[in-house]
Amino acid sequence: MKKIIKSSLAVLSVLVAFTSCNNSEKTASKSGALSNNIAEKVYVAPGEHDSHYAFISGGYSGNLTVYGLPSGRMFKEIPVFSQFPTSGYGYSEETKPMLNTSHGFIPWGDSHHPDISQTNGEIDGRFIFINENNTPRIAKIDLKTFETTEIIEVPNSAGNHSSSFVTENTEYVVAGTRFSVPVPQRDMPIKDYKGNFQGALSFISVAPETGNMDIKFQILMPGFNYDLSHPGRGKSHGWFFFTTYNTEEASTLLEVNASQNDKDFIAAVNWKKIEEYVNNGGGTMMPAEYAHNVYDEHTHTATSTMKKEVRVVNPIDVPGAVFFLPTPKSPHGCDVDPSGEYIVGNGKLSANLTVHSFTKMLDAIENKKFDGDAYGIPILKFEDVLAGSVEQPGLGPLHTEFDGQGNAYTTFFISSEVVKWKLGTWEVLDRKPTYYSVGHLTIPGGNSGKPQGKYMFAMNKITKDRYLPTGPEMEHSAQLYDISGDKMELLLDFPTHGEPHYAAAMEANLIKERSQKIYNLEENKHPYAAFTDADTKVVRKGNEVHIYMTTIRSHFSPDNIEGVKVGDKVFFHVTNLEQDFDVPHGFAVLGQNTSELLIMPGQTKTSIWEPTKVGVWPFYCTDFCSALHQEMQGYIRVSPANANTPLKWSMGEDIE
Amino acid sequence: MLLAAILPLGLFLFPLWKISLEAPQYPTPLGMYIHINDFSDANPHDIKNINLMNHYVGMKYIPEAIPEFKIFPAGILITTVIGLIIGFKGNYKWFLYWFILMILLSAAGMYDFYLWEHDYGHNLDPKAILKFTNADGTQMGFQPPMFGSKDILNFRAHSYPRLGALFLALGIGASFIAYLVGKKNNKKAIASL
């Protein structure tokens, strides 16, 4: 019966869709789901562009995916923390250093919260930052090339979760620790956690011109779990807010033991004050070991530097810099409204949603209305800082975003819905189900003073039956809503890759205009680049053989190589001589233990090949580059280790 | 007449001609400007990319320089100097001779351009990767049009004069007007005698 109703509704909606073509003026003035042509709102005609970019974290895929809104189409997966055989990222000699850490080479990461750089509280679309949760790191992606250009490891941190949110002029990208640990790390009993572990909040400075990252200071906080964070903005610019849970400081069965306190805290950090303290020589340099990996777009090569110390600050040494705001029941999301006045603590085990007032907080601090302290950090009174609370809006609040029109949108994991409510009156205006169990949500321009309303999308943790089944494992699902009206309107379901935690989105124009088409060959400073077919050569250094190779439609140069022996380490340094938009060439050789290379016009990439067998082995272009792509191939002869085959190479003629 | 003599110098500032190639996979068409003394890209790397396309059918690379790049500028400079001398010294009849000279030289230039285009489009590498024949079995040529638009395989080629050519044409036209005005004034002068 249900099915019949559903299908007749479908028929009806199709009929409405048809008739609405004829009298669109009439229907436009009507309201109601059936008279609205939802399909039209997400339809981007072939060849036309979406109006917004969405950068959705790939979670345990370690990467960042690029989507268009409103179509929900995926355009690119940007490799960040994980090896990516598609392009050779993390496999090529040039990009292996990107994944270097103080724990050695790590092929994988768990990416969480992307955030776009800002100028004057507005997102500027220059860079996007994203945190790695597992082996704490922050990455920067350049939105000219959509490539990862810098990764910095965060020492003294574990579970890099309350990250990577930027301040309103991108002064800092901030990284907090979810799992407190011994600082410095040492061999000690786990049961002695309480009072001995610490949580580091790291302020990573971003150079205004280059975007280069450097850890300016770390605040060593009590051993709580610092879950999420957001910067103050506008009037609260200069402050940063972090939710905490496990203020019980439990080290086992946290699901019970970290849920005992009626209230945990939001930590309010006056970073301007600490910055000043540090600029005047405050804090101490502490021995540490962390990797700083930088990709140079001219040498097309990353370098990894191991840093040896970091500046740490004890919060009680800077009076007036850090305060605790009591917040009910293990708050998760910590979200600041566009004006900077309201700080929303999404108490995930609470029935109500708590909103603090920045003005009231300043007032309470000024009048020293403290309610004791935790490890020397003053605790403010809950009632003194409370702006209001949204009563019983749903179950399991996680995250809140704002539309810039005075409304807030909060996700509820347990009741699987997004609830729209009004800032100041705290009244619930609307609620819409999500499918199923939503985590984060994103409104374009999210973490900024100027959200770009219109769309909101919810990223769900559970997919179940939303798409054609693909066995037990499937992609997560997201839902796109139109929020331009009084009520939210569900427009579209689309699958997302990995487990998307947060996403950053913005209007397309700024980024679209700057997107690079090729790498200029004249600016290629790779030490092993060859710039013409005639430049190519093969050089032996002991058992290393360096092949300076070029690709251009539709051949490799050289394409016949002899004189390589079993036991050699062969470096294929491949330069793509093309200077036309979207003409990459690929490189693969039989028995390649690394991965293929996908080389963009003007770029040089290197693949190591260690032949183990005598023979004549083919290599070829993996990207269907041109009409003669199938002809784009060559041979490399591998002789026995003790052979005397001379090193020779050619293209277009036989090796003599 | 002085204006007429100076206008062709615009050729040193603006391109004479433009050839562009459109195809579905080139949402931004490939294009080449022909200047009096140079070829240049319409968009960065266009000539390189035209060469890459054309090597499939055995066409030669567009040369960095051709002898005409030396001859044409010299020709324009000489005719400008002649035009200026005529403008100062000569009578209106000489304006007509300059006009005729310019028409002849321009025609010669166009013919030379045609010959080059024909050679470029027909003198193909015998080892060309792709060989096309016309319906009558003769080898297909890929000569771009002299003036106008034409389909060449998957491309649509356009060839049109640019601002430099306009300056040349205006100069030539102005010399003819100068001749007419001069003639009229001369008649008046005779009549007033």
Side-chain angles (χ1 to χ4, degrees):
Chain A
M1 187 60 201
K2 226 178 177 182
K3 273 195 181 160
I4 293 169
I5 292 172
K6 263 193 188 167
S7 52
S8 52
L9 269 177
V11 168
L12 190 63
S13 62
V14 168
L15 286 174
V16 169
F18 273 110
T19 53
S20 68
C21 295
N22 299 327
N23 42 25
S24 52
E25 273 176 44
K26 256 191 206 169
T27 49
S29 61
K30 282 184 190 169
S31 61
L34 285 180
S35 60
N36 279 334
N37 197 339
I38 289 174
E40 215 167 69
K41 290 189 175 181
V42 296
Y43 181 70
V44 177
E48 289 189 2
H49 288 170
D50 282 282
S51 61
H52 291 71
Y53 278 106
F55 299 92
I56 304 183
S57 98
Y60 33 65
S61 80
N63 294 338
L64 180 69
T65 48
V66 186
Y67 282 73
L69 299 178
S71 72
R73 297 177 293 184
M74 187 179 116
F75 304 137
K76 184 175 184 177
E77 180 173 2
I78 303 173
V80 186
F81 298 111
S82 291
Q83 284 184 306
F84 196 63
T86 307
S87 66
Y89 180 87
Y91 290 98
S92 73
E93 288 307 292
E94 290 80 6
T95 53
K96 267 157 50 176
M98 290 302 281
L99 302 182
N100 191 36
T101 73
S102 63
H103 304 271
F105 178 87
I106 305 249
W108 167 89
D110 182 13
S111 64
H112 270 249
H113 310 124
D115 204 15
I116 304 171
S117 57
Q118 296 183 28
T119 306
N120 298 325
E122 283 184 55
I123 45 176
D124 60 24
R126 295 173 66 209
F127 305 113
I128 186 161
F129 300 90
I130 191 164
N131 55 317
E132 204 275 277
N133 191 58
N134 183 48
T135 304
R137 283 169 285 171
I138 300 286
K140 183 185 77 197
I141 291 118
D142 191 327
L143 289 179
K144 271 199 333 279
T145 57
F146 289 66
E147 297 289 343
T148 307
T149 53
E150 193 175 1
I151 294 179
I152 192 162
E153 193 179 352
V154 186
N156 298 328
S157 180
N160 177 29
H161 194 269
S162 38
S163 323
S164 46
F165 302 104
V166 300
T167 54
E168 80 176 17
N169 284 302
T170 321
E171 295 97 336
Y172 293 98
V173 52
V174 174
T177 185
R178 185 168 128 216
F179 310 131
S180 282
V181 286
V183 177
Q185 273 290 4
R186 57 192 179 272
D187 180 20
M188 64 173 279
I190 298 169
K191 69 174 176 49
D192 295 340
Y193 176 139
K194 196 164 185 166
N196 290 315
F197 284 23
Q198 285 178 296
L201 307 179
S202 307
F203 284 71
I204 300 165
S205 61
V206 180
E209 290 301 316
T210 58
N212 285 350
M213 298 190 289
D214 185 32
I215 300 178
K216 176 99 171 173
F217 57 87
Q218 293 190 311
I219 308 169
L220 295 184
M221 297 285 285
F224 310 150
N225 290 28
Y226 297 84
D227 202 12
L228 274 157
S229 68
H230 264 105
R233 55 178 61 98
K235 63 166 84 169
S236 54
H237 177 56
W239 289 77
F240 223 96
F241 304 95
F242 299 82
T243 45
T244 69
Y245 66 102
N246 193 24
T247 50
E248 297 86 349
E249 295 182 72
S251 62
T252 180
L253 195 63
L254 265 67
E255 66 170 320
V256 175
N257 294 334
S259 307
Q260 296 306 307
N261 287 353
D262 186 42
K263 291 190 178 65
D264 296 277
F265 300 125
I266 283 179
V269 175
N270 185 337
W271 59 260
K272 278 239 163 120
K273 198 159 226 169
I274 297 178
E275 181 186 57
E276 196 188 320
Y277 171 74
V278 163
N279 285 343
N280 290 324
T284 49
M285 294 307 285
M286 173 185 170
E289 198 182 24
Y290 57 104
H292 183 209
N293 310 329
V294 180
Y295 182 83
D296 183 313
E297 66 173 31
H298 296 305
T299 59
H300 299 282
T301 302
T303 46
S304 179
T305 315
M306 204 57 72
K307 297 223 169 188
K308 294 294 177 196
E309 52 180 13
V310 67
R311 185 177 295 275
V312 293
V313 173
N314 184 341
I316 56 174
D317 290 345
V318 196
V322 184
F323 299 91
F324 284 135
L325 283 54
T327 306
K329 304 303 282 179
S330 302
H332 187 58
C334 181
D335 301 297
V336 180
D337 87 304
S339 74
E341 168 62 12
Y342 297 120
I343 304 130
V344 182
N346 304 268
K348 60 183 185 281
L349 311 177
S350 168
N352 299 337
L353 204 59
T354 306
V355 185
H356 296 305
S357 156
F358 178 71
T359 315
K360 289 176 92 172
M361 181 193 88
L362 284 188
D363 186 63
I365 293 169
E366 198 171 319
N367 295 307
K368 297 200 161 37
K369 292 190 195 165
F370 303 140
D371 188 16
D373 69 275
Y375 295 100
I377 294 168
I379 301 170
L380 300 170
K381 282 205 185 93
F382 178 66
E383 297 75 20
D384 289 343
V385 293
L386 185 71
S389 50
V390 186
E391 301 290 331
Q392 313 246 334
L395 295 173
L398 290 186
H399 302 282
T400 301
E401 292 259 310
F402 308 90
D403 62 5
Q405 311 292 320
N407 303 307
Y409 300 75
T410 302
T411 55
F412 291 84
F413 179 82
I414 299 169
S415 51
S416 189
E417 59 187 336
V418 176
V419 172
K420 176 183 179 181
W421 51 276
K422 197 161 186 59
L423 287 161
T425 68
W426 325 119
E427 63 187 311
V428 170
L429 302 175
D430 188 25
R431 60 177 69 241
K432 284 284 178 304
T434 63
Y435 308 93
Y436 306 94
S437 293
V438 58
H440 275 273
L441 79 171
T442 295
I443 290 174
N447 173 36
S448 84
K450 279 208 179 144
Q452 304 159 346
K454 193 162 168 71
Y455 297 117
M456 175 272 289
F457 57 98
M459 287 156 278
N460 300 286
K461 302 298 184 190
I462 295 169
T463 309
K464 305 257 187 194
D465 61 346
R466 293 306 284 180
Y467 308 117
L468 285 174
T470 56
E473 189 179 326
M474 57 204 117
E475 298 283 40
H476 287 201
S477 83
Q479 273 100 41
L480 178 74
Y481 300 81
D482 181 341
I483 56 164
S484 56
D486 289 339
K487 300 286 178 190
M488 295 175 275
E489 185 178 30
L490 176 60
L491 299 180
L492 183 74
D493 252 37
F494 63 99
T496 50
H497 189 50
E499 182 186 342
H501 293 273
Y502 190 49
M506 69 182 286
E507 282 164 1
N509 295 348
L510 272 179
I511 297 177
K512 183 174 159 179
E513 296 309 320
R514 293 199 294 246
S515 180
Q516 203 165 308
K517 291 191 165 74
I518 58 166
Y519 296 97
N520 207 328
L521 199 56
E522 285 165 10
E523 291 168 12
N524 182 327
K525 303 278 180 257
H526 194 291
Y528 290 97
F531 296 101
T532 65
D533 284 353
D535 260 359
T536 58
K537 59 185 174 183
V538 181
V539 177
R540 176 180 283 282
K541 288 180 197 159
N543 74 331
E544 283 188 4
V545 177
H546 291 270
I547 303 171
Y548 296 64
M549 184 178 264
T550 58
T551 61
I552 193 158
R553 280 164 287 176
S554 305
H555 60 266
F556 290 99
S557 176
D559 62 2
N560 281 193
I561 299 158
E562 294 189 354
V564 168
K565 292 179 269 189
V566 169
D568 280 347
K569 205 170 181 181
V570 182
F571 292 74
F572 287 95
H573 305 287
V574 189
T575 303
N576 183 353
L577 297 181
E578 304 284 354
Q579 292 287 270
D580 198 0
F581 185 26
D582 201 15
V583 190
H585 290 293
F587 174 82
V589 58
L590 201 158
Q592 204 168 11
N593 298 111
T594 51
S595 81
E596 72 141 344
L597 299 173
L598 191 65
I599 310 135
M600 296 303 125
Q603 218 177 17
T604 304
K605 286 187 181 179
T606 303
S607 184
I608 285 189
W609 182 61
E610 296 176 78
T612 55
K613 289 179 182 171
V614 166
V616 177
W617 308 103
F619 54 87
Y620 71 102
C621 173
T622 48
D623 185 281
F624 205 110
C625 57
S626 60
L628 279 298
H629 160 73
Q630 293 298 80
E631 283 72 13
M632 196 163 166
Q633 63 169 62
Y635 287 104
I636 182 163
R637 173 179 166 189
V638 178
S639 304
N642 56 1
N644 290 318
T645 319
L647 199 61
K648 283 191 173 175
W649 61 95
S650 73
M651 192 270 290
E653 53 196 24
D654 291 336
I655 289 179
E656 293 302 326
Chain B
M1 180 59 213
L2 291 174
L3 186 69
I6 290 166
L7 277 170
L9 294 178
L11 281 170
F12 289 96
L13 299 174
F14 304 103
L16 177 64
W17 220 265
K18 183 185 182 185
I19 298 178
S20 58
L21 297 165
E22 282 176 5
Q25 55 278 65
Y26 286 90
T28 308
L30 293 171
M32 175 175 88
Y33 288 116
I34 302 168
H35 300 260
I36 191 79
N37 56 357
D38 197 13
F39 295 128
S40 74
D41 294 316
N43 288 300
H45 313 295
D46 273 1
I47 293 178
K48 173 174 173 155
N49 292 323
I50 291 169
N51 285 337
L52 268 171
M53 282 294 102
N54 290 350
H55 96 278
Y56 287 117
V57 291
M59 290 165 80
K60 287 206 263 316
Y61 278 16
I62 294 165
E64 293 269 326
I66 50 175
E68 284 83 346
F69 288 160
K70 291 223 169 92
I71 299 165
F72 285 0
I76 291 296
L77 287 176
I78 291 166
T79 53
T80 298
V81 170
I82 295 172
L84 285 174
I85 294 170
I86 291 171
F88 280 115
K89 303 265 176 177
N91 74 19
Y92 71 93
K93 281 183 185 160
W94 282 96
F95 296 176
L96 182 64
Y97 301 149
W98 192 82
F99 169 75
I100 292 167
L101 173 74
M102 291 304 281
I103 294 282
L104 288 175
L105 285 177
S106 300
M110 297 284 272
Y111 182 65
D112 179 75
F113 178 43
Y114 174 83
L115 285 183
W116 175 79
E117 265 197 338
H118 187 272
D119 179 67
Y120 178 62
H122 289 89
N123 185 5
L124 305 176
D125 184 345
K127 281 184 78 178
I129 294 162
L130 299 165
K131 293 189 184 77
F132 292 93
T133 47
N134 295 316
D136 62 4
T138 55
Q139 182 199 52
M140 189 188 279
F142 305 100
Q143 180 179 0
M146 184 79 183
F147 181 92
S149 302
K150 180 182 167 189
D151 288 320
I152 308 173
L153 297 179
N154 59 324
F155 284 99
R156 181 153 183 83
H158 305 279
S159 175
Y160 290 101
R162 304 296 288 182
L163 213 50
L166 182 71
F167 274 93
L168 178 63
L170 283 176
I172 295 172
S175 72
F176 191 65
I177 292 167
Y179 162 68
L180 293 176
V181 172
K183 193 175 174 184
K184 206 173 170 190
N185 287 346
N186 192 39
K187 266 185 191 166
K188 273 186 195 162
I190 292 169
S192 67
L193 274 176

